[in-house]
Amino acid sequence: MLKLEFDTDDGIGTRANLGMIVLETDETLEAEFARMADIDGVARYHSRIPMVTEIRPDTLAMMLKDLPASTRLLPSSLDFDVIGYGCTSASTVIGSDKVAAAIQSVRPNVKVTDPLAALIAAARALGVTNLGFITPYIPDVSQRMRDKLEEAGFHISAGGSFEESDDRVVARISEQAIQNAARHVANAAPKATPCDALVISCTNLRCLNIIPQLEAELGIPVLSSNTALVWHMLRLAGVSDRRPQICRLFDVELAD
């Protein structure tokens, strides 16, 4: 057997290393993350976190204790620029500050974001105020997220929910059903406060393919948990590539 010569380079993430903590039950985020962050020099890594299929405040809160262990499963040899936690509802229940603290207990210098924090940053970057709001959650979880958005200074002009607690079913909600819901909510807003953006919450809802059509039809930005999360991770990592073909959000920078 010959001993072969080799050399080394800087690896895949010459511009940024991004880590994503994905729910055990999520079937959508990894594929959409791969498409949106398919940029030369940007490396993407995933870890999973335990999660039961029933989405309730108590099951969501349970994930806080598992966040450090899931963070440790990301490659230890890499210095990550940003780690994202891929659960909108749990970020709402746990709180973005506690999510960040749990991840930074393992990776002290990493930047952290989650879908709730990312949606707030995205809406501010777009300069929108009156939001249409769509979730798949049971009423208690939906209301908590609505409260968080209103606390951040946004007005919910109209809202609706599929009211489905089983994450396996959420992953099967069709793109057509999501499109119909988006149109219904946007049209339900009062004339005095029409929606100037639409928020579709949940990383397990399949939105990436339908957002360009909805934005063209409704004439407003459409934000999903996944588009906001990946955009925020890229911008926090200093990757400023504009990709308006994904959605309007990918054509803007972080607000000052």
Side-chain angles (χ1 to χ4, degrees), residues 44-247:
R44 307 174 304 273
Y45 301 91
H46 305 91
S47 177
R48 288 272 176 168
I49 188 168
M51 175 59 185
V52 299
T53 58
E54 286 295 314
I55 304 171
R56 305 188 311 268
D58 59 327
T59 60
L60 294 168
M62 289 168 55
M63 279 188 280
L64 179 60
K65 66 179 177 57
D66 291 319
L67 272 170
S70 292
T71 303
R72 289 189 189 95
L73 292 175
L74 292 166
S76 59
S77 59
L78 296 176
D79 291 326
F80 281 88
D81 296 277
V82 183
I83 294 177
Y85 170 51
C87 186
T88 322
S89 51
S91 301
T92 300
V93 171
I94 295 169
S96 294
D97 54 343
K98 291 182 180 179
V99 167
I103 291 171
Q104 289 167 342
S105 71
V106 177
R107 296 276 186 162
N109 300 316
V110 77
K111 295 176 182 176
V112 177
T113 187
D114 61 73
L116 176 62
L119 284 165
I120 291 170
R124 288 174 176 164
L126 288 164
V128 297
T129 302
N130 298 320
L131 305 179
F133 179 52
I134 296 170
T135 84
Y137 314 129
I138 60 174
D140 184 7
V141 176
S142 296
Q143 186 60 50
R144 289 185 189 216
M145 187 177 178
R146 178 173 182 151
D147 292 344
K148 292 285 187 181
L149 291 172
E150 290 177 338
E151 288 169 12
F154 300 103
H155 171 71
I156 306 301
S157 293
S161 176
F162 298 118
E163 297 189 7
E164 176 54 57
S165 65
D166 190 329
D167 213 23
R168 295 168 297 187
V169 177
V170 172
R172 299 291 185 273
I173 294 175
S174 71
E175 292 175 336
Q176 186 62 59
I178 299 168
Q179 281 184 297
N180 292 341
R183 297 183 185 108
H184 186 69
V185 168
N187 291 331
K191 291 183 179 180
T193 55
C195 300
D196 48 22
L198 192 65
V199 169
I200 306 175
S201 177
C202 186
T203 60
N204 218 0
L205 285 175
R206 291 172 285 153
C207 298
L208 192 57
N209 290 333
I210 62 175
I211 286 177
Q213 180 181 342
L214 281 172
E215 289 188 329
E217 178 182 333
L218 300 175
I220 57 175
V222 177
L223 307 173
S224 74
S225 289
N226 291 347
T227 57
L229 179 58
V230 176
W231 168 85
H232 201 213
M233 292 175 70
L234 289 168
R235 296 301 186 256
L236 288 173
V239 178
S240 57
D241 299 45
R242 293 177 179 267
R243 308 186 74 195
Q245 71 276 16
I246 294 175
C247 61

Side-chain angles (χ1 to χ4, degrees), residues 27-47:
E27 302 175 29
T28 304
L29 176 55
E30 283 167 315
E32 294 196 349
F33 180 30
R35 289 171 57 187
M36 288 184 278
D38 183 16
I39 300 170
D40 286 344
V42 175
R44 307 174 304 273
Y45 301 91
H46 305 91
S47 177

